């Protein structure tokens, strides 16, 4: 019996393939199979002869299963609460239809899978039942969920599934030219879905690109559990039954594991093999069995007999992967080769034991940590450590190189060769004590793999006093180096400790006025500035600048550096008047020393442009940024991170000027450059995606903005964790879009999450908390919770005034929102005062505040109308309507509200003929956005009712 089952397992897919061939192609196909597998060819010829006889007698010619194109008669057919729209898929078990909810409760599209009538028997129905059972166990964001199930009036079983609008994962990756890191990000979503299925005792058994779709926001959805195996129900001898044999063995040959093709028991390792094939295809651009396998027989033979070539040896399609074939080969060689090879082992026990192990290895690869799919060695782990901590170690080594250079110059100048040899030996012994170990093989695997740059720095800080007890000059310099590396890792407390000690030791060695002392003062001042200790930082930075002018004169790079650092502190205090001359002097020094095409000049132009941008002089900032961009593109290339940084600064400046089209182009160039140079999963990429998303939301492109913000949020969480200001910012911005789409409950949830993160990060008295409260209050206003909203806005305004000041843009925005909320509850006098105060302080040269002035003008105009002063209100509302049409477009909700406000004002002055078209236009604009703007839509209805009553009064008076 087992032999018969194995034979059937091998023949079933071959029979399916040959039956699909035209008669004239079957002979050639059979001849090829006969040469390779004569025993299978003989069995197939017998079956084909029997099939021909049945055809001659007309067997089943009338009741053949319908093709997708022959089912239009079902369009409009009602199944449960849904109406069928059109067929979207067809397979051996059934047909899948797009359907629309039609019971009026809410609008929704779903996919309905109908079991083929030809399979309505115990075997077919049982397999269909198992698919429903499998899906019912699974609730995961990357698995298309089961919504409902039932039987039609005609007795046809059906499943109601989540409708997924997306592209096959392989097609999506190639069409979007995704780099390997982004492909791995999508694949990790697939792994998460499969791990969830396995945790619920479900093996998919048919993982392939056509069952994995990617939506527009790069969310993966796993589909089709039609041949899934339920581990709790199936075991051992019960595996091969009529249920699995019906319609052929449950597999797709190109993605099947060897044990599936051989009819052996299916386990979670079967899915792991299919996942390995999928990853191979996504990364290499070809199937592991190669281009030479054209038939099922060839695939099955290769599956059982040959090992797939290494990923790096066969990669193709460099352009589709955002790179070149040579670079991809270098990238894949080593860890990725080993990871994929482990997943594709012939024997299940040699593969990853679980999907989680597979996932963990890919995460280790992405973090430059040692992976399990490779024999361990000290050299391999050391190499990984260096790559993982490249920035920190590079900073250490760069500082050490500078120290070595300084030592050499000192020896040349002073002729103290003996002292320099002693210093070099001391530094060497110190570095060995920090970076090495007496017996590195005595370290455990965990010790070696978990050692971080922070560990090394802490070890160095602990040993510096003992290792360099007799070399105070070396100790002071190395302490400064440690402080700078700590600062580069944002470990400011540790940095300040080392730099303060370094400054003390240098003063003891060299006296209070020395270039080395000035350097230590400058370094410590920068760290204290970042910690918020502004008074002490100011004193140190001014002292360092004065000493450097004294030692080096006004035409020196060290002097320019101190000018930059002091100016940055002044800009943070909004002291632009004193900061600007410092930055202009630094720029002049660098141009004189290095010419106009030097990278230091580009950096100086960028700093000066940042100051001009901060004080609202964006027009002046533009040429500086364009010059800096030209220098960096020439010197560093178009894809360098510093080039991308300049593109982002230029984009933000264009955005603030209201030049949204060029700003979008610049943001997208920056993102492309960052992805190419830094990889897709990088903090800088997330920042640029978030900036672009914010801008697109500002101009009403909500769907695009939401997709960008979700991608930025996913990167932030992967790179930084959950509780960071970047995550909070993206949650808040995403909430604004969701709010604009009318989902107030979701918007409130997102904003409360952002508020919780910001309170944990900064405490309750931070301006970010005020911002969260402000936006949360807007949501509560939409939900008609006005009292709660007003209380929240008063707290937000108190915080913003305390932290940011009366005239800050954020403070003004909160003032406008509070004024509008007070108008809505009838507190018109207080609303008028707040709105007038905000409008008087808006900067007309800033595009953001120009946009913010529109709701301020509308709010004040409607308040004045409510106070019985429509003559004062009318010019405000007319100006707001013109500005909103010009800046936001005729269909924007702000334009609708301005139109409504002007119509209300005209009704108040008795100009009903002019008011009516405006009110009807506002009502028309808002009727399609009633879900997102319930208050405004209700106010438009009310305004039309008042207009009708006034018309009736006028008519009665005339009579």
């Amino acid at each position: 019996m087992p032999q018969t089952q194995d034979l059937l397992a091998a023949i079933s897919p071959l029979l399916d393939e040959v039956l699909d061939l035209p008669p004239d192609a079957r002979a050639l196909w059979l001849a090829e199979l006969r040469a390779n597998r004569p025993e299978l060819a003989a069995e197939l010829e017998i079956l084909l002869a029997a099939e021909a006889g049945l055809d001659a007698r007309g067997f089943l010619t009338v009741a053949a299963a319908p093709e997708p194109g022959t089912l239009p008669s079902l369009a409009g057919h009602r199944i449960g609460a849904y109406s069928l729209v059109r067929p979207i898929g067809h397979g051996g078990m059934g047909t899948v239809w797009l359907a629309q909810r039609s019971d009026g409760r809410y609008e929704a599209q779903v996919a309905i899978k109908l079991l083929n009538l030809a399979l309505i028997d115990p075997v077919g129905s049982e397999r269909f039942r198992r698919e429903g059972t499998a899906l019912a166990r699974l609730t995961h964001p990357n698995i298309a969920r089961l919504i409902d199930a039932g039987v039609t009036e005609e007795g046809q079983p059906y499943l109601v599934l989540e409708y997924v609008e997306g592209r096959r994962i392989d097609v999506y990756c190639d069409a979007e030219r995704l780099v390997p890191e982004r492909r791995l990000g999508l694949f990790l979503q697939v792994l998460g879905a499969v791990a969830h299925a396995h945790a619920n005792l479900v093996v998919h058994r048919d993982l392939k690109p056509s069952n994995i779709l990617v939506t527009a926001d790069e969310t993966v959805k796993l589909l089709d559990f039609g041949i899934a195996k339920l581990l709790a129900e199936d075991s051992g001898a019960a595996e091969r039954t009529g249920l699995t044999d019906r319609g052929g063995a449950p597999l797709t040959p190109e993605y099947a594991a060897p044990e599936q093709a051989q009819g052996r028991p299916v386990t979670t390792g079967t899915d792991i093999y299919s996942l390995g094939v999928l990853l191979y295809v996504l990364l290499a651009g070809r199937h592991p069995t190669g281009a030479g396998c054209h038939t099922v027989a060839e695939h099955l033979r290769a599956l059982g007999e040959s090992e797939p070539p290494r990923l790096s040896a066969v990669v193709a399609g460099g352009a589709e992967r955002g790179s070149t074939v040579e670079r991809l080969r270098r990238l894949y060689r080593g860890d990725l080769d080993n990871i994929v090879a482990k997943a594709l082992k012939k024997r299940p026990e040699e593969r990853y034991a679980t999907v989680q192990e597979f996932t963990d290895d890919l995460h280790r690869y992405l973090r430059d940590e040692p992976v399990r799919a490779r024999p361990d060695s000290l050299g391999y782990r050391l190499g990984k450590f260096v790559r993982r901590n490249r920035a920190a170690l590079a900073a250490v080594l760069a500082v050490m190189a500078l120290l070595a250079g300084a030592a050499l110059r000192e020896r040349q100048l002073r002729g103290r060769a003996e002292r320099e040899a002693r210093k070099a030996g001391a530094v060497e012994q110190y570095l060995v004590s920090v970076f090495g170990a007496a017996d590195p093989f005595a370290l455990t695997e965990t010790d070696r793999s978990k050692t971080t740059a922070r560990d090394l720095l802490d070890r160095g800080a602990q040993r510096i006093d003992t290792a360099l007890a007799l070399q105070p000059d070396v100790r002071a310099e190395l302490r400064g180096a440690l402080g700078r590396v700590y600062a580069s890792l944002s470990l400011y407390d540790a940095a300040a400790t080392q730099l303060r000690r370094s400054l003390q030791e240098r003063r003891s060695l060299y006296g209070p006025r020395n270039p080395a002392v000035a350097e230590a003062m400058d370094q410590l001042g920068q760290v204290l500035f970042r910690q918020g200790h502004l008074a002490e930082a100011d004193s140190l930075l001014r002292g360092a600048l004065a000493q450097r002018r004294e030692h080096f004169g006004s035409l020196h790079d060290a002097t320019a550096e101190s000018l930059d650092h002091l100016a940055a502190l002044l800009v943070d205090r909004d002291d632009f008047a004193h900061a600007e001359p410092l930055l202009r002097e630094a720029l002049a020094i660098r141009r004189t020393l290095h010419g106009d095409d030097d990278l230091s000049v580009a950096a100086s132009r960028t700093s000066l442009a940042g100051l001009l941008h901060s004080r609202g002089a964006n027009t002046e900032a533009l040429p500086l940024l364009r010059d800096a961009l030209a220098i960096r593109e020439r010197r560093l290339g178009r894809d360098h991170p510093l080039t991308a940084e300049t593109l982002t600064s230029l984009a933000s400046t264009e955005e603030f000027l209201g030049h949204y089209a060029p700003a979008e182009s610049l943001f997208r160039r920056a993102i492309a450059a960052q992805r190419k140079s830094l990889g897709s999963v990088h903090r800088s990429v997330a920042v640029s995606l978030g900036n672009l998303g914010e801008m697109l939301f500002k101009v009403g492109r909500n769907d695009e903005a939401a997709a960008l913000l979700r991608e930025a949020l996913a990167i932030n969480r992967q790179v930084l964790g959950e509780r960071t200001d970047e995550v909070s910012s993206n949650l808040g911005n995403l909430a604004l879009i969701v709010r604009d789409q009318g989902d107030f409950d979701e918007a409130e949830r997102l904003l409360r999450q952002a508020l919780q993160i910001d309170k944990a990060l900064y405490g309750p008295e931070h301006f970010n908390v005020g911002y969260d409260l402000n936006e949360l209050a807007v949501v509560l206003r939409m939900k008609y919770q006005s009292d709660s909203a007003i209380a929240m806005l008063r707290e937000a305004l108190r915080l913003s005034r305390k932290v940011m000041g009366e005239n800050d843009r954020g403070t003004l925005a909160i003032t406008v929102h509070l004024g509008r909320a007070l108008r809505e509850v009838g507190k018109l006098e207080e609303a008028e005062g707040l709105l007038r105060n905000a409008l008087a302080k808006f900067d007309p040269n800033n595009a953001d505040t120009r946009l913010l002035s529109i709701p301020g003008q509308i709010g004040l105009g409607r308040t004045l109308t409510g106070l019985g002063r429509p003559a004062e209100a009318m010019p405000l509302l007319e100006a707001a309507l013109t500005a909103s049409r010009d800046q936001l477009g005729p269909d924007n909700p702000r334009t609708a509200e301005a139109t409504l406000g002007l119509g209300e004002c005209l009704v108040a002055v008795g100009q009903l003929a002019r008011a009516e078209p405006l009110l009807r236009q506002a009502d028309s604009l808002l009727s399609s956005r009633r879900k997102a703007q319930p208050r405004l839509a209700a106010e438009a209805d009310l305004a039309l009712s008042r207009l009708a009553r006034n018309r009736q009064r006028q008519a009665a008076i005339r009579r």
Side-chain angles (χ1 to χ4, degrees):
M1 184 66 174
Q3 291 179 347
T4 302
Q5 290 176 345
D6 292 346
L7 182 62
L8 287 173
I11 286 178
S12 291
L14 299 176
L15 183 60
D16 289 340
E17 183 176 356
V18 73
L19 286 173
D20 288 338
L21 296 174
D24 56 349
R26 287 187 184 179
L28 183 61
W29 188 92
L30 281 167
E32 181 182 348
L33 182 62
R34 198 178 297 112
N36 296 307
R37 299 291 298 274
E39 73 286 359
L40 293 181
E43 294 291 339
L44 280 172
E45 286 174 332
I46 294 171
L47 292 172
L48 289 172
E51 188 257 353
L54 291 173
D55 281 350
R57 294 195 297 273
F59 183 65
L60 290 181
T61 55
V62 177
E67 293 296 323
T70 66
L71 296 172
S73 60
L74 288 180
H77 185 71
R78 183 81 175 261
I79 294 181
Y82 302 93
S83 295
L84 300 182
V85 178
R86 57 181 171 84
I88 55 176
H90 184 72
M93 286 188 63
T95 304
V96 184
W97 285 76
L98 174 66
Q100 185 78 34
R101 181 128 189 158
S102 55
D103 62 358
R105 291 190 179 182
Y106 58 89
E107 294 182 2
Q109 286 187 326
V110 298
I112 293 184
K113 186 169 186 176
L114 295 165
L115 177 63
N116 277 348
L117 292 171
L119 294 179
I120 299 178
D121 61 15
V123 173
S125 296
E126 176 63 12
R127 181 182 291 182
F128 201 70
R129 181 197 69 78
R130 283 161 57 108
E131 178 174 7
T133 302
L135 284 168
R137 293 185 177 189
L138 308 179
T139 304
H140 191 275
N142 298 119
I143 296 176
R145 70 185 185 280
L146 175 69
I147 298 171
D148 200 357
V151 179
T152 67
E153 294 177 358
E154 296 80 13
Q156 190 171 15
Y158 67 86
L159 301 175
V160 181
L161 308 167
E162 175 187 0
Y163 173 59
V164 180
E165 191 167 358
R167 288 176 281 174
R168 286 171 43 138
I169 187 169
D170 55 342
V171 173
Y172 182 91
C173 288
D174 287 349
E176 299 297 322
R177 296 178 177 270
L178 298 191
V179 296
E181 290 84 355
R182 289 183 70 190
R183 291 172 186 250
L184 288 173
L186 294 177
F187 184 73
L188 284 167
Q189 292 186 51
V190 179
L191 290 178
V194 178
H196 177 76
H198 288 182
N200 286 276
L201 305 179
V202 175
V203 180
H204 191 283
R205 296 203 294 188
D206 199 22
L207 294 166
K208 56 187 177 183
S210 59
N211 283 341
I212 303 167
L213 300 185
V214 182
T215 65
D217 64 351
E218 289 202 3
T219 297
V220 167
K221 289 287 185 179
L222 180 57
L223 315 175
D224 198 352
F225 281 77
I227 63 171
K229 175 188 174 186
L230 306 183
L231 296 178
E233 297 178 8
D234 296 317
S235 62
E239 170 60 24
R240 301 281 314 165
T241 66
L243 179 63
T244 55
D245 286 336
R246 176 68 174 268
L251 56 81
T252 298
E254 291 86 347
Y255 288 85
E259 61 269 22
Q260 278 180 289
Q262 296 163 9
R264 290 189 280 116
V266 169
T267 66
T268 55
T270 304
D271 278 351
I272 290 171
Y273 186 92
S274 300
L275 289 166
V277 177
L278 175 64
L279 183 56
Y280 196 106
V281 170
L282 293 180
L283 294 179
R286 53 155 277 177
H287 193 275
T289 57
C293 294
H294 302 292
T295 67
V296 172
E298 290 172 336
H299 272 294
L300 292 175
R301 185 168 62 252
L303 189 63
E305 297 175 1
S306 61
E307 292 291 337
R310 304 288 280 181
L311 183 69
S312 59
V314 297
V315 60
E320 287 83 357
R321 286 156 185 76
S323 185
T324 65
V325 170
E326 291 73 20
R327 289 181 64 186
L328 291 174
R329 284 175 177 164
R330 289 195 299 271
L331 179 67
Y332 295 168
R333 192 174 294 124
D335 284 345
L336 278 177
D337 274 339
N338 292 324
I339 289 171
V340 174
K342 185 173 179 66
L344 292 177
K345 292 291 186 183
K346 301 293 185 189
R347 295 164 57 86
E349 60 271 22
E350 294 178 355
R351 299 172 203 150
Y352 288 104
T354 65
V355 174
Q356 189 58 53
E357 283 192 8
F358 197 172
T359 304
D360 291 344
D361 240 8
L362 285 174
H363 278 304
R364 277 189 284 268
Y365 165 76
L366 290 170
R367 294 193 299 263
D368 269 330
E369 295 175 356
V371 302
R372 294 186 182 277
R374 177 186 176 113
D376 194 17
S377 71
L378 182 60
Y380 168 68
R381 288 188 172 276
L382 182 58
K384 280 292 179 183
F385 176 81
V386 170
R387 284 193 291 276
R388 188 166 67 250
N389 300 285
R390 195 185 314 258
L393 293 177
V396 173
L397 293 174
V399 171
M400 299 310 172
L402 288 173
L403 291 174
L408 178 60
R409 287 191 298 275
E410 184 178 344
R411 183 170 68 250
Q412 291 170 336
L413 291 172
R414 302 182 185 182
R416 297 181 180 176
E418 191 174 309
R419 179 167 176 257
E420 294 309 317
R422 178 178 53 80
K423 285 176 65 176
V427 169
E428 180 181 1
Q429 290 178 7
Y430 168 72
L431 291 176
V432 168
S433 75
V434 173
F435 293 103
D439 181 7
F441 293 96
L443 295 174
T444 67
E445 177 181 337
T446 302
D447 292 334
R448 292 197 302 269
S449 63
K450 291 187 175 180
T451 301
T452 66
R454 175 67 189 271
D455 294 332
L456 292 178
L457 289 172
D458 290 345
R459 189 188 302 168
Q462 292 166 2
R463 298 181 183 182
I464 197 166
D465 286 318
T466 55
L468 297 170
L470 301 178
Q471 289 82 30
D473 50 347
V474 179
R475 185 174 65 240
E477 292 182 56
L478 286 179
R479 210 183 283 285
L482 284 171
R484 292 209 292 276
V485 178
Y486 272 124
S488 74
L489 297 173
S490 301
L491 302 170
Y492 297 124
D493 288 344
T497 298
Q498 295 302 321
L499 291 171
R500 202 178 289 281
R501 291 282 303 277
S502 177
L503 176 58
Q504 292 170 351
E505 290 173 346
R506 291 184 188 193
R507 280 175 171 162
S508 297
L509 286 166
Y510 311 123
R513 307 190 70 78
N514 182 277
V517 171
E519 179 186 52
M521 291 170 67
D522 185 81
Q523 292 168 1
L524 179 58
Q526 291 179 71
V527 169
L528 293 174
F529 164 43
R530 290 182 176 88
Q531 288 182 299
H533 305 314
L534 301 186
E536 187 180 1
D538 185 289
S539 174
L540 285 165
L541 292 173
R542 289 183 188 278
L545 175 60
Q547 285 206 35
R548 282 176 162 176
R549 284 194 193 277
E550 177 185 333
H551 296 303
F552 304 119
S554 290
L555 200 63
H556 194 278
D557 281 321
T559 304
E561 180 183 63
S562 278
L563 288 164
D564 273 347
H565 296 160
L566 179 57
L569 183 146
L570 295 174
V571 168
D572 188 71
R573 288 175 162 174
D574 291 340
D575 187 357
F576 305 127
H578 290 98
E580 187 171 343
L582 301 179
L583 290 176
R584 291 193 181 278
E585 182 183 355
L587 174 59
I589 290 170
R590 288 167 176 147
R591 291 180 68 186
T592 301
L593 291 173
H594 308 295
D596 277 336
D597 198 40
D598 191 74
L599 289 173
S600 66
V601 173
S604 208
R605 290 183 187 277
T606 303
S607 298
L608 179 56
L611 177 145
L612 296 171
H613 173 72
S614 296
R615 71 171 176 82
N618 290 291
T619 304
E620 296 177 55
L622 277 179
L624 290 166
L625 288 170
R626 287 170 180 156
D627 288 346
L629 178 61
I631 293 170
R632 284 177 168 170
E633 283 186 334
R634 281 194 300 270
R635 301 293 300 276
L636 301 172
R638 296 175 63 87
D639 298 324
H640 194 277
L642 285 176
T643 305
E645 176 188 281
T646 316
L647 285 166
T648 302
S649 299
L650 185 55
S652 296
T653 304
E654 295 278 21
E655 178 190 347
F656 270 78
L657 288 168
H659 304 156
Y660 298 120
E664 179 181 356
S665 176
L666 289 163
F667 274 132
R668 292 194 185 279
R669 282 176 58 191
I671 291 166
Q674 287 165 335
R675 280 178 167 155
K676 196 166 184 180
S677 58
L678 303 172
S680 291
V681 183
H682 193 279
R683 185 176 186 173
S684 297
V685 176
V687 170
S688 295
L689 288 168
N691 288 339
L692 178 57
E694 284 186 65
M695 191 193 78
L696 294 182
F697 170 60
K698 192 186 302 180
V699 297
R701 290 162 61 181
N702 290 1
D703 290 342
E704 296 172 75
L708 290 165
L709 288 169
R710 289 186 193 279
E711 184 179 356
L713 189 59
I715 295 171
N716 289 149
R717 284 171 164 158
Q718 184 174 344
V719 175
L720 304 170
E722 186 66 35
R723 293 204 162 202
T724 66
D725 56 350
E726 287 94 338
V727 169
S728 168
S729 175
N730 285 320
L731 283 169
N733 289 325
L734 188 57
L736 303 189
I737 298 174
V738 171
R739 183 183 73 195
D740 196 56
Q741 293 170 336
D743 191 346
F744 303 130
D745 290 339
E746 175 67 4
E748 182 178 353
R749 185 188 69 80
L750 292 168
L751 285 167
R752 289 194 184 279
Q753 191 177 349
L755 178 62
Q756 184 179 14
I757 293 171
D758 284 336
K759 282 184 174 179
L761 286 174
Y762 306 114
E765 294 289 301
H766 194 270
F767 70 86
N768 278 11
V769 173
Y771 171 84
D772 296 335
L773 291 170
N774 174 58
E775 298 300 342
L776 187 53
V778 176
V779 174
L780 295 180
R781 283 173 53 208
M782 296 292 190
K783 296 175 73 171
Y784 293 94
Q785 298 175 20
S786 297
D787 291 341
S788 297
I790 289 171
M792 204 168 276
L793 285 167
R794 291 191 192 281
E795 173 62 12
L797 185 57
R798 180 194 69 79
L799 269 177
S800 193
R801 282 172 171 167
K802 174 183 175 181
V803 178
M804 305 304 295
E806 289 279 351
N807 300 325
D808 180 76
R809 189 169 68 236
T811 303
L812 298 179
I814 297 170
T815 305
V816 167
H817 287 157
L818 179 56
R820 287 161 62 81
L822 290 167
R823 183 198 71 81
E824 290 167 355
V825 298
K827 297 183 178 181
L828 301 180
E829 289 81 4
E830 185 181 0
E832 179 187 1
L834 287 167
L835 291 166
R836 283 193 186 280
N837 179 56
L839 287 171
K841 294 176 178 177
F842 283 149
D843 177 6
N845 296 316
N846 185 291
D848 270 8
T849 52
R850 284 202 304 271
L851 283 174
L852 187 57
S853 70
I854 295 171
Q857 288 176 313
I858 295 170
L860 181 57
R862 297 185 74 191
T863 298
L864 292 172
T865 300
L867 287 167
R869 291 147 59 190
E872 293 180 56
M874 195 165 304
L876 282 166
L877 291 165
E878 288 173 338
L881 179 56
T882 300
S884 188
R885 281 174 175 163
D886 291 345
Q887 295 181 54
L888 300 174
D891 299 327
N892 190 276
R894 285 282 175 263
T895 305
E897 187 183 7
T899 306
L900 170 63
L902 184 55
E904 291 171 331
C905 186
L906 290 169
V907 170
V909 297
Q911 297 184 31
L912 305 187
R914 284 185 62 198
E916 183 171 4
L918 288 170
L919 291 176
R920 294 198 181 281
Q921 182 183 357
D923 184 63
S924 175
L925 285 170
L926 291 167
S927 62
S928 62
R929 297 182 60 86
R930 189 171 295 273
K931 182 180 177 184
Q933 299 288 341
R935 273 188 175 274
L936 281 179
E939 288 175 346
D941 293 339
L942 182 61
L944 282 171
S945 298
R946 286 174 178 161
L947 174 68
R949 288 197 299 272
N950 283 2
R951 281 195 177 283
Q952 290 171 356
R953 291 194 193 100
Q954 284 186 351
I957 291 170
R958 284 196 296 270
R959 288 197 299 269

